[in-house]
Amino acid sequence: MFVETVDLIGRLLKGLTGEEDPLLVDGGDHADLASTIAFSLAKKQKRSPPLIAADLAEKLRILPELDGITIFSTGPYLNFTFGGEYLAQCVAAARKPGYGTLLKKYERVSIEHTSANPNGPLHVGHIRNTIIGDTLARAFRKAGYPCEVQYYINDMGRQIAIVVWGLETLGITRLPGEKGDHFIARVYVRANHAIRDDESINGAIERLMQEIERGDRDVDQAFRQAVNTCVEGIKETLFNLHVHHDRFVRESTFVRIGDMQRVLDRLARMDEAEVEGKFLSLDLTSSGFEKKYVLKRADGTSVYAARDIAYHVWKTANYDRNIDVLGADHKLIGAQLSATLRLMGEVPPEILHFEFVSLPEGAMSTRSGTFVSADELIEEVTARALEEVTKRRPELSPGERMAIARSVAVGAIRFDIVRVSPEKSTVFNWKQALDFERQSAPYVQYAHARACSILAKAGDFEEVYEYNDPHEIALTKAIARFPAVITSVVTDLRPHLLATYIRDVADLFNSFYRFVPVLKAEGSLRDARLCLVDATRNTLREALQTLGIDALESM
RNA sequence: GGGCAUGUGGCCUAGUCAGGAUAGGGCGUUAGCCUCCUAAGCUAAUGGUCGGGGGUUCGAAUCCCUCCAUGCCCGCCA
């Protein structure tokens, strides 16, 4: 209803003024919607903005299409306040299962996210990528797109060669109960120490890389095993964060099936190509890059970029919109990749970059072992949540308390990460991660549980949609914006808008809860309020699901 | 040195792309609210040169220039 109403007003205003843009803005405290069109018309008409606004208000008021909308001017501003019929339709729509789901679309979307190297567990920096990507994928599906989520496994890089070397020579054994990814990280850290102490080991690493590229059976087997051991642990962490990938794409695939060679052949024929023996690079100065873009080393082995181009060429052939979620450290290579694809006549991906997460003591690094793992974070937050549930709901069984604690913990982690806009670099903060008040998922989950509790006690009620109380009206208007928020998230690739939005709805519901009695109201007033509680419950539920957070009915 | 990004009360953050009406929240601090639908809640108080300076505009947190601070990148690593 919100989008439709804004569109209608925009169309009528354009028709009336002949302007291209109706200059609609948020009405703030003054109205539901406002237009600043009077300012831009002032010069052309040589009249003062307030006069023009008053004039337009009068002309719009008599249009039958705008019945039920209060139109008035305040100085130069043209204001619109939506009426009872609008509120009624919004609440009715918000109660339907699946509210917020947009019209089915046929553009195929791929989203690549996380894609952390399989040389250790996911840490709190990686999961910013994960949670942004997963929330985006959920939003795309909500917006009606067929969407496939991919994890690109760098399974033949130097890091993996280091892990393989470590596994074969350092004699480190996996501890009982140790997750594969944590075990691989220990090997990786130790191997790097060994290399630092004895640089001659690099020769062995290089040999491994040549052998894997040639497709040597034994080496391939060793790489595969090391990667699988790690990925198995990463998958467990992803599952615990409510994150799902539809496909794990191995970069070695593009070498094995010949795609990379075909792409390199194409690139070698381009004007920008520079070939020196087995060495191949691209001169991207025409695209504004100073350094050459290396694709093959002097020994003829390919670098990551070559495989990445092949991967993206494959994606362009199979999807209409390709989205990559990448850390800020990939900005340069992302831009080089895009420039190269453009030169090849391919469509570059849409890249959503997010800035770094660091620790108070400095940057995180898998190699040096200085990071807070996602598993550790989940464990700590779950323990803290369990403590809280036990305090609040001692009557529940340990199993029930644990189930709630898990849902609260995953929600708290996901929300804490997704609420910050991607372009801000952040410092990981335990106090904030363990805070379950106000601007947090538990706060929203709690509002949802409250709504459920009221409805459970209410029994049957009639459909009545009449609202006069300011708390009712404010809540209804917030609920009505949900579909518009989904649209913004997928068009601007800004998942944090969902977090901001859901917090607004929860805030308004909690105020409503405090000041407007529902079960104690009588007759049609009670029915109308119960309908609004149900609409809020459903909106919170749908929005929480889009954020990958459980909508608990009791907590 | 060059490139990209960020800078909003003691701390965290929305708003910046598509400029508009007194810059929204939260944490903290202070003072209230559970014989009343779950207090993971509600209300109020406190606290701001929107990094500094210049410019464009009827109007700038938002656009342009410049300076400062911070993060990231500038590998035949990924």
Side-chain angles (χ1 to χ4, degrees), chain A residues 26 47-48 53 71 133 136 200 202 218 231 240 319 330 358 365 371 390 395 403 471 497 501 548:
Chain A
D26 181 50
R47 296 161 69 203
S48 76
I71 303 160
L136 208 51
S200 71
N202 281 316
D218 291 345
V231 168
N240 288 334
Y319 306 91
H330 285 62
S358 54
S365 153
F371 58 86
T390 304
E395 79 281 9
H471 291 99
L497 294 177
Y501 170 74

Side-chain angles (χ1 to χ4, degrees), chain A residues 174 181 259 300 302 307 327 386 443 451 470 532:
Chain A
R174 189 162 163 183
D181 46 352
D259 271 23
S302 61
R307 278 106 60 176
L386 185 61
Y443 172 79
L532 178 54

Side-chain angles (χ1 to χ4, degrees), chain A residues 41 55 57 130 170 177 184 200 242 245 278 319 349 351 357 377:
Chain A
L41 287 171
D55 188 38
T130 304
L170 294 174
I184 295 294
S200 71
H242 300 175
H245 285 86
K278 290 180 183 172
Y319 306 91
I351 304 180
V357 181
L377 176 66

Side-chain angles (χ1 to χ4, degrees), chain A residues 209-415:
Chain A
M209 290 178 70
Q210 285 163 17
E211 285 163 353
I212 185 70
E213 181 117 1
R214 276 205 310 271
D216 180 285
R217 274 186 82 88
D218 291 345
V219 175
D220 184 75
Q221 215 23 259
F223 269 61
R224 192 167 285 270
Q225 174 135 37
V227 167
N228 287 349
T229 302
C230 191
V231 168
E232 163 204 312
I234 289 175
K235 281 185 179 173
E236 194 181 323
T237 306
L238 291 170
F239 178 81
N240 288 334
L241 286 169
H242 300 175
V243 173
H244 175 76
H245 285 86
D246 299 299
R247 198 192 280 248
F248 285 77
V249 183
R250 288 165 184 266
E251 66 169 330
S252 60
T253 307
F254 297 99
V255 177
R256 213 182 58 241
I257 66 176
D259 271 23
M260 185 192 72
Q261 194 51 55
R262 278 185 285 278
V263 164
L264 286 175
D265 290 344
R266 259 174 89 181
L267 289 164
R269 285 196 298 272
M270 297 193 345
D271 294 341
E272 292 82 1
E274 288 175 10
V275 185
E276 297 168 43
K278 290 180 183 172
F279 176 82
L280 171 65
S281 72
L282 238 44
D283 176 7
L284 293 178
T285 47
S286 62
S287 305
F289 298 97
E290 287 177 23
K291 305 257 168 113
K292 53 189 169 191
Y293 189 39
V294 176
L295 301 170
K296 276 167 78 177
R297 303 185 182 94
D299 67 1
T301 56
S302 61
V303 298
Y304 172 82
R307 278 106 60 176
D308 207 19
I309 296 167
Y311 173 41
H312 280 87
V313 168
W314 172 78
K315 284 207 273 192
T316 341
N318 287 283
Y319 306 91
D320 301 304
R321 242 181 118 174
N322 289 298
I323 296 160
D324 293 350
V325 182
L326 296 174
D329 54 337
H330 285 62
K331 275 186 184 173
L332 180 60
I333 59 160
Q336 287 170 326
L337 170 74
S338 293
T340 305
L341 287 166
R342 243 177 245 117
L343 289 172
M344 294 172 78
E346 304 279 353
V347 183
E350 297 169 53
I351 304 180
L352 170 51
H353 286 289
F354 65 93
E355 288 290 333
F356 257 52
V357 181
S358 54
L359 297 176
E361 53 272 25
M364 265 178 283
S365 153
T366 303
R367 177 163 45 194
S368 58
T370 52
F371 58 86
V372 174
S373 76
D375 295 324
E376 185 185 345
L377 176 66
I378 295 168
E379 197 183 315
E380 290 290 330
V381 178
T382 306
R384 167 82 184 82
L386 185 61
E387 197 180 293
E388 202 66 24
V389 182
T390 304
K391 198 162 68 195
R392 291 162 196 279
R393 304 293 301 276
E395 79 281 9
L396 295 180
S397 73
E400 287 170 312
R401 291 201 297 256
M402 193 58 190
I404 292 172
R406 283 192 208 283
S407 290
V408 165
V410 175
I413 292 168
R414 291 191 59 130
F415 197 89

Side-chain angles (χ1 to χ4, degrees), chain A residues 368-477:
Chain A
S368 58
T370 52
F371 58 86
V372 174
S373 76
D375 295 324
E376 185 185 345
L377 176 66
I378 295 168
E379 197 183 315
E380 290 290 330
V381 178
T382 306
R384 167 82 184 82
L386 185 61
E387 197 180 293
E388 202 66 24
V389 182
T390 304
K391 198 162 68 195
R392 291 162 196 279
R393 304 293 301 276
E395 79 281 9
L396 295 180
S397 73
E400 287 170 312
R401 291 201 297 256
M402 193 58 190
I404 292 172
R406 283 192 208 283
S407 290
V408 165
V410 175
I413 292 168
R414 291 191 59 130
F415 197 89
D416 189 49
I417 290 171
V418 83
R419 52 176 256 271
V420 182
S421 54
E423 66 271 17
K424 297 249 192 190
S425 54
T426 62
V427 177
F428 177 75
N429 180 332
W430 275 111
K431 183 181 176 291
Q432 210 163 299
L434 296 171
D435 182 9
F436 300 150
E437 289 179 358
R438 303 290 286 185
Q439 300 196 336
S440 71
Y443 172 79
V444 180
Q445 288 172 308
Y446 187 72
H448 176 265
R450 275 180 151 178
C452 289
S453 167
I454 292 177
L455 292 164
K457 287 181 179 153
D460 292 336
F461 55 92
E462 303 290 312
E463 281 195 53
V464 179
Y465 300 112
E466 273 183 40
Y467 303 103
N468 295 300
D469 183 280
H471 291 99
E472 295 171 345
I473 294 169
L475 179 57
T476 301
K477 285 173 177 172

